[in-house]
């Protein structure tokens, strides 16, 4: 098993499948128990180091570590006045001195987890770094597809919207392609990285017209429009964006009957996704959150416990 999880590219198909299988076993092991806890990581310390806002991911990593009986330390760095590079190194040295076995880091700077991995002895798990990657989100998304549709291999997956700012999209392109899915990126040209076609693996497509893509997909993954990362106007108006790229009831009905709708959260209800779609039985948004705990338990187990 690998020591850190910094990028979805760290996972080949075999390793990713091992994570998904382990997550399924975690689900079963917990379901059978009256006390929803396994003793696996007793005596190990997991530090959650969050330099950026988070609801789902932070709570999910905390729940995962606690269900494995690890000691959990939550460090929320938001509001610190120290310059970021320096404070990250100083914090890393502190964590090192405390003997952290794993550090889960979310940071606004792309690449921060790589730096951290050079400063601590424990495992580093990337919980989202800038616009770069969010590998455990891709794993929980793949897990959700497998549990709803039975497989990932051969699925056609459209990832729609603000691809430019989305670490979720980047990690999913890598992981889903490795697992044999066909990924299509859909969005306005201004929200797709420049020259993206050339950077993508063969089989991955870029399209601008959502309505042309919908009838042929098994999964449509909507991305949040990340206004906090936008310094310019990337589209004429919110209404115009919704008209062209929002998933509403009419577009939901254009999907094949078996197709599912995903969103990593948090949602802009009424913008990239209508409330009708978000709350429909085809939507896996709440399942994705629940699956996130199982997948993160699997990753912590394989990085920390599995090796022993
Ligand atoms: C995402 C993130 O923070 O990268 N959310 C998440 O982790 N579930 C996506 C987003 O912020 O839009």
């Amino acid at each position: 098993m690998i020591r850190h999880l910094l990028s979805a590219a760290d996972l080949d198909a075999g390793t990713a499948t091992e994570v998904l299988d382990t997550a399924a076993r975690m689900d079963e092991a917990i379901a059978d128990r009256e006390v929803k806890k396994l003793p696996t990581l007793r005596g190990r310390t997991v530090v959650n180091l969050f330099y950026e806002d988070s609801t789902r991911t932070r709570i999910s990593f905390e729940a995962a570590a606690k269900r494995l009986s690890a000691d959990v330390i939550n460090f929320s760095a938001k509001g610190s006045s120290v310059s970021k590079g320096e404070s990250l190194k100083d914090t890393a040295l502190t964590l090192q001195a405390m003997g952290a076995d794993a550090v889960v880091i979310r940071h606004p700077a792309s690449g921060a987890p790589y730096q951290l991995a050079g400063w601590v002895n424990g495992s580093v798990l990337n919980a989202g770094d800038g616009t770069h990657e969010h590998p455990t989100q891709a794993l929980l998304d793949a897990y959700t597809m497998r549990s709803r549709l039975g497989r990932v291999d051969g699925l056609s997956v459209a990832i729609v919207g603000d691809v430019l700012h989305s670490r979720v999209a980047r990690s999913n392109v890598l992981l889903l392609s490795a697992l044999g899915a066909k990924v299509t990126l859909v969005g306005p040209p201004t929200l797709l990285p420049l020259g993206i076609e050339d950077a993508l693996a063969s089989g991955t497509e870029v399209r601008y017209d959502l309505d042309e893509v919908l009838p042929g997909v098994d999964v449509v993954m909507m991305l949040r429009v990340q206004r906090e990362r936008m310094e310019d106007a990337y589209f004429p108006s919110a209404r115009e964006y919704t008209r062209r790229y929002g998933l509403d009831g009419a577009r939901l009905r254009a999907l094949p009957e078996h197709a599912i709708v995903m969103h990593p959260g948090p949602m802009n209800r009424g913008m990239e996704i209508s409330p009708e779609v978000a709350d429909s039985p085809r939507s896996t948004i709440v399942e994705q959150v629940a699956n996130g705990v199982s997948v993160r338990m699997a990753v912590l187990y394989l990085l920390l416990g599995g090796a022993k």
Side-chain angles (χ1 to χ4, degrees):
M1 194 61 198
I2 52 174
R3 175 155 155 239
H4 307 295
L5 181 56
L6 304 177
S7 161
D10 296 340
L11 303 165
D12 57 19
T15 313
T17 304
E18 188 184 355
V19 175
L20 302 183
D21 291 344
T22 305
R25 284 207 303 281
M26 291 289 174
D27 268 348
E28 281 165 33
I30 288 279
D32 291 346
R33 286 178 173 243
E34 205 174 311
V35 178
K36 303 275 175 226
K37 242 179 169 182
L38 302 172
T40 322
L41 294 185
R42 197 183 284 156
R44 316 295 291 275
T45 301
V46 176
V47 178
N48 289 320
L49 191 61
F50 278 67
Y51 285 82
E52 202 185 77
D53 295 344
S54 173
T55 306
R56 271 154 284 267
T57 307
R58 189 172 50 80
I59 292 174
S60 181
F61 267 111
E62 183 174 352
K66 285 183 171 163
R67 282 189 196 169
L68 291 172
S69 307
D71 295 320
V72 181
I73 298 171
N74 290 315
F75 179 99
S76 171
K78 189 97 183 174
S80 156
S81 60
V82 193
S83 96
K84 286 211 172 123
E86 244 179 18
S87 76
L88 180 59
K89 179 156 193 185
D90 285 340
T91 309
L93 298 177
T94 307
L95 301 178
Q96 184 55 36
M98 287 189 321
D101 296 292
V103 183
V104 177
I105 179 171
R106 168 166 289 197
H107 200 284
S110 300
Y114 290 82
Q115 280 201 294
L116 186 65
W119 293 325
V120 297
N121 290 331
S123 293
V124 175
L125 287 82
N126 182 358
D129 61 329
T131 58
H132 177 234
E133 278 216 49
H134 194 353
T136 58
Q137 178 71 40
L139 282 165
L140 77 87
D141 289 336
Y143 185 82
T144 304
M145 290 175 206
R146 215 173 69 159
S147 73
R148 273 275 190 130
L149 301 170
R151 69 199 158 100
V152 176
D153 187 27
L155 291 181
S156 175
V157 181
I159 302 181
V160 183
D162 186 359
V163 176
L164 181 66
H165 300 107
S166 179
R167 52 198 178 202
V168 174
R170 243 165 288 278
S171 289
N172 263 305
V173 167
L174 291 166
L175 186 77
L176 296 175
S177 305
L179 290 172
K182 178 188 181 305
V183 180
T184 304
L185 299 172
V186 188
T190 49
L191 288 177
L192 288 160
L194 211 61
I196 188 174
E197 282 95 342
D198 306 328
L200 291 170
S202 64
T204 310
E205 260 194 289
V206 176
R207 303 282 291 271
Y208 305 111
D209 188 332
L210 179 59
D211 293 306
E212 279 175 17
V213 172
L214 291 178
V217 300
D218 304 295
V219 178
V220 55
M221 183 185 293
M222 303 308 294
L223 300 172
R224 182 173 65 87
V225 176
Q226 302 200 18
R227 287 182 183 266
E228 78 278 19
R229 297 192 206 277
M230 295 184 188
E231 279 140 29
D232 284 311
Y234 286 84
F235 42 83
S237 68
R239 249 180 88 190
E240 177 66 8
Y241 182 89
T242 304
R243 196 178 64 76
R244 298 210 44 196
Y245 296 103
L247 193 64
D248 58 7
R251 289 195 167 119
L252 183 72
R253 287 181 281 281
L255 288 166
E257 201 128 326
H258 68 275
I260 56 171
V261 175
M262 306 181 73
H263 192 303
M267 289 180 268
N268 293 310
R269 274 177 186 261
M271 185 153 184
E272 71 268 0
I273 190 164
S274 74
E276 177 194 351
V277 176
D279 300 328
S280 89
R282 313 275 291 275
S283 146
T284 62
I285 296 166
V286 179
E287 273 163 67
Q288 284 169 264
V289 177
N291 291 339
V293 179
S294 315
V295 160
R296 289 171 178 126
M297 285 172 76
V299 170
L300 285 168
Y301 167 74
L302 291 169
L303 291 183
L304 297 183
K308 285 212 159 176

